Amino acid sequence: MESAEIRSRFLNYFESKGHTVVPSASLLLDDPTLLFVNAGMVPFKPYFLGEAAPPYPRAVSAQKVVRTLDIEEVGKTTRHASFFQMCGNFSFGDYFKEQAIPYAWELLTSPVSAGGYGFPEDKLWVTVYLDDDESVDIWHKVVGVPMERIQRRDMADNYWSMGVPGPCGPCSEIYYDRGPEHGREGGPIADETRYLEVWNLVFMQFERGEGPGKENFPILGELPSKSIDTGMGLERMAALLQGVDNIYEIDTTRIILDRASELSGRKYGADPKSDVALRVVADHARTCAFLIADGVLPGNEGRGYVLRRILRRVVRNMRLLGTNDPSMKELIAASITAMAPQYPELLSEQGRIMSIAAAEEETFLSTLERAGGFASAQEVYRLMQREGESIGLTTVYRSLQSLVNDKIVDVLRRDDGEAIYRLCGEAHHHHLVCKGCGDTVEIEGGAIEKWAKMMAEEHGFREVGHTAEIFGLCAKC
Ligand code: SER
């Protein structure tokens, strides 16, 4: 089933149950607690909090979402994405659990011929919040899910908030068992790759206050009314319904991935490391297209910085794939081809999106050129930023060794048999210099010398062109 079809089935089902179809809001909403819309419920937040009167008691939407918290996971797992679409049904003080649960079940398990997604009931598992006996009863007695496929989980897993002050409540999640070849038996509490979360039903009841993480915040009180916020990830659903292994291989994302593969000449599926890079490019290029479409420009702060970082990760990954030529224009075009059937407005913005992305790419490529092209030095740099002054010699030493593997250091063996190496860049001792913003980080004296000694003593290499500074790019650039 194509992504566009999954989306329209969701909207149609809930429309037939009296929900108003609300178009996706922009990724940029005027909410001081968020950089981007990070959940389908964000546009409706004032209705949950009672700050504004909802124009409808029930709504359904397929909302564009950007989440960058787990950006390092993108491409490595089957299910992390920086951009995705969340299908959701919402009740603002209208129905509650007793209807939200059967609705979700009916849509998931109704046959495809009857407008549903056709999931076999015995492949679905559910989780509920620890003390939510009411939901357990609905799942078991009303819907008929056997008790052994209902699991209770604590706040970290089954209590949802936006991560910042706002509406919150216990939730109940539905998982699909992809089978033993994907991991361990035992339900979602045992393995979240085998048991893939497909739908989260949040029972919005409380308002949370300030506090870190998913568990450490005060509950300020009850919301004016009990409401429903659900989220079904369109891309995950597509992966299941299209029988592919991960969300990067579904109909839409695959178009972008294949373009990256053509541009780089790297075949998808041939090498695990290249596959990760291709998936990162596919995910990130699309995110760039949507961010620029909604009005973000690359910059050094806030939203602009997020865009810059994501776009530069595309460029870096294309270089890892062996492509040093500009490719943003082609990747943006592929992203728009993939997404325009659902977001036709991308087509009229295509020229603008492409030229902003291409200009940023050009700036970055010339920065890399000046830096000697070794963006991975930023890993050492980031490490140093995190560890600050206290970074130990051993850590630097180990990091520099890893640079050899990343080809940050040229290791050569001359014709006459002599082994030599050269740090890529000009050489001194004690600094990492970011060629993007010019920031400098001191390396503890002697670190590079110590590394040089190791190269000589352990590997029989002689250093040529010893460096004054290691030029790299810091985490910000
Ligand atoms: N707000 C919940 C989520 O994002 C359900 O929509 O998972």
Side-chain angles (χ1 to χ4, degrees):
M1 194 182 295
E2 290 186 352
S3 296
E5 173 72 18
I6 296 170
R7 179 176 182 265
S8 61
R9 279 181 186 234
F10 194 94
L11 298 176
N12 292 343
Y13 174 82
F14 284 102
E15 192 176 26
S16 79
K17 305 286 180 201
H19 293 64
T20 301
V21 180
V22 180
S24 174
S26 160
L27 285 163
L28 319 182
L29 282 192
D30 204 9
D31 183 328
T33 63
L34 295 174
L35 278 183
F36 303 112
V37 169
N38 63 355
M41 51 70 69
V42 173
F44 305 119
K45 186 174 152 187
Y47 310 150
F48 290 122
L49 291 172
E51 291 169 356
Y56 23 67
R58 304 172 168 210
V60 60
S61 68
Q63 172 66 45
K64 317 178 260 194
V65 165
V66 165
R67 284 187 190 172
T68 53
L69 205 63
D70 293 330
I71 200 162
E72 301 290 341
E73 296 301 314
V74 171
K76 296 178 190 156
T77 72
T78 56
R79 60 198 152 86
H80 282 91
S82 61
F83 170 89
F84 57 100
Q85 300 162 86
M86 232 177 198
C87 300
N89 57 294
F90 305 91
S91 147
F92 311 114
D94 188 18
Y95 62 86
F96 200 47
K97 299 175 188 180
E98 75 297 337
Q99 264 185 292
I101 290 175
Y103 277 157
W105 190 259
E106 183 177 54
L107 178 56
L108 285 177
T109 59
S110 293
V112 172
S113 57
Y117 296 128
F119 282 102
E121 298 196 359
D122 60 358
K123 289 280 177 63
L124 298 175
W125 289 62
V126 298
T127 61
V128 300
Y129 181 60
L130 290 177
D131 65 1
D132 189 359
D133 297 333
E134 217 178 4
S135 292
V136 173
D137 278 353
I138 300 170
W139 280 120
H140 183 56
K141 295 185 183 149
V142 180
V143 174
V145 177
M147 286 303 277
E148 57 273 20
R149 292 211 309 275
I150 303 175
Q151 299 186 315
R152 294 182 190 251
R153 299 184 94 173
D154 62 12
M155 213 157 169
D157 292 298
N158 274 60
Y159 203 93
W160 200 87
S161 77
M162 297 162 70
V164 291
C168 67
C171 60
S172 181
E173 296 179 323
I174 309 172
Y175 289 77
Y176 176 74
D177 179 3
R178 299 199 296 155
E181 66 277 23
H182 292 279
R184 288 193 288 151
E185 294 278 328
I189 56 171
D191 189 330
E192 285 205 38
T193 297
R194 167 169 171 174
Y195 300 88
L196 190 69
E197 182 207 324
V198 292
W199 203 335
N200 184 12
L201 316 180
V202 183
F203 311 127
M204 289 295 196
Q205 263 172 285
F206 303 105
E207 186 173 353
R208 69 162 272 183
E210 290 283 358
K214 288 183 167 179
E215 296 165 88
N216 299 315
F217 50 80
I219 298 292
L220 303 178
E222 293 200 8
L223 294 174
S225 55
K226 290 181 178 173
S227 293
I228 289 293
D229 150 34
T230 87
M232 184 196 85
L234 178 51
E235 288 74 11
R236 287 183 186 193
M237 196 51 109
L240 294 177
L241 293 175
Q242 293 171 14
V244 294
D245 175 62
N246 58 61
I247 56 167
Y248 315 99
E249 294 173 16
I250 64 169
D251 52 353
T252 46
T253 323
R254 184 69 200 230
I255 294 175
I256 317 167
L257 193 152
D258 285 344
R259 191 75 188 104
S261 165
E262 274 166 32
L263 290 167
S264 63
R266 295 291 179 98
K267 207 167 159 293
Y268 185 60
D271 163 52
K273 217 171 163 187
S274 299
D275 289 352
V276 171
L278 287 168
R279 293 195 288 255
V280 171
V281 169
D283 170 86
H284 286 18
R286 173 171 50 192
T287 307
C288 291
F290 273 100
L291 288 177
I292 299 172
D294 277 353
V296 184
L297 293 173
N300 279 333
E301 276 167 36
R303 290 167 171 158
Y305 168 57
V306 175
L307 170 60
R308 169 161 285 164
R309 185 161 164 242
I310 293 177
L311 196 145
R312 290 180 171 202
R313 283 171 57 93
V314 176
V315 177
R316 269 206 292 273
N317 278 279
M318 285 305 283
R319 288 169 73 91
L320 277 177
L321 291 166
T323 306
N324 290 345
D325 295 335
S327 34
M328 272 322 286
K329 270 192 176 159
E330 286 85 351
L331 292 168
I332 293 284
S335 306
I336 292 178
T337 304
M339 302 308 290
Q342 288 163 78
Y343 300 92
E345 67 275 16
L346 288 173
L347 286 174
S348 52
E349 292 285 318
Q350 180 152 345
R352 185 180 67 84
I353 301 171
M354 274 186 177
S355 61
I356 291 170
E360 176 66 11
E361 178 182 41
E362 200 182 309
T363 313
F364 186 50
L365 285 174
S366 61
T367 303
L368 281 177
E369 213 51 54
R370 288 199 311 276
F374 47 95
S376 303
Q378 69 136 3
E379 260 147 47
V380 180
Y381 196 96
R382 203 189 298 136
L383 190 72
M384 306 226 164
Q385 281 187 319
R386 202 171 60 221
E387 309 279 334
E389 300 280 312
S390 69
I391 189 164
L393 193 62
T394 334
T395 321
V396 175
Y397 179 72
R398 239 190 282 119
S399 309
L400 287 173
Q401 270 183 294
S402 78
L403 294 185
V404 180
N405 302 329
D406 285 346
K407 303 238 180 315
I408 303 312
V409 176
D410 271 342
V411 177
L412 317 162
R413 203 170 279 273
R414 285 204 315 225
D415 283 343
D416 60 10
E418 192 185 8
I420 58 171
Y421 70 88
R422 175 167 60 84
L423 284 174
C424 301
E426 298 135 46
H428 278 317
H429 299 198
H430 303 143
H431 295 98
L432 277 171
V433 179
C434 175
K435 292 299 284 184
C437 61
D439 268 7
T440 299
V441 171
E442 296 255 337
I443 302 175
E444 191 182 333
I448 292 181
E449 285 90 326
K450 184 151 188 199
W451 182 77
K453 203 158 167 263
M454 178 274 298
M455 288 293 276
E457 288 174 4
E458 293 176 23
H459 303 291
F461 280 89
R462 185 170 69 80
E463 180 189 353
V464 294
H466 186 77
T467 56
E469 293 162 326
I470 300 177
F471 292 122
L473 290 164
C474 72
K476 280 209 151 195
C477 296

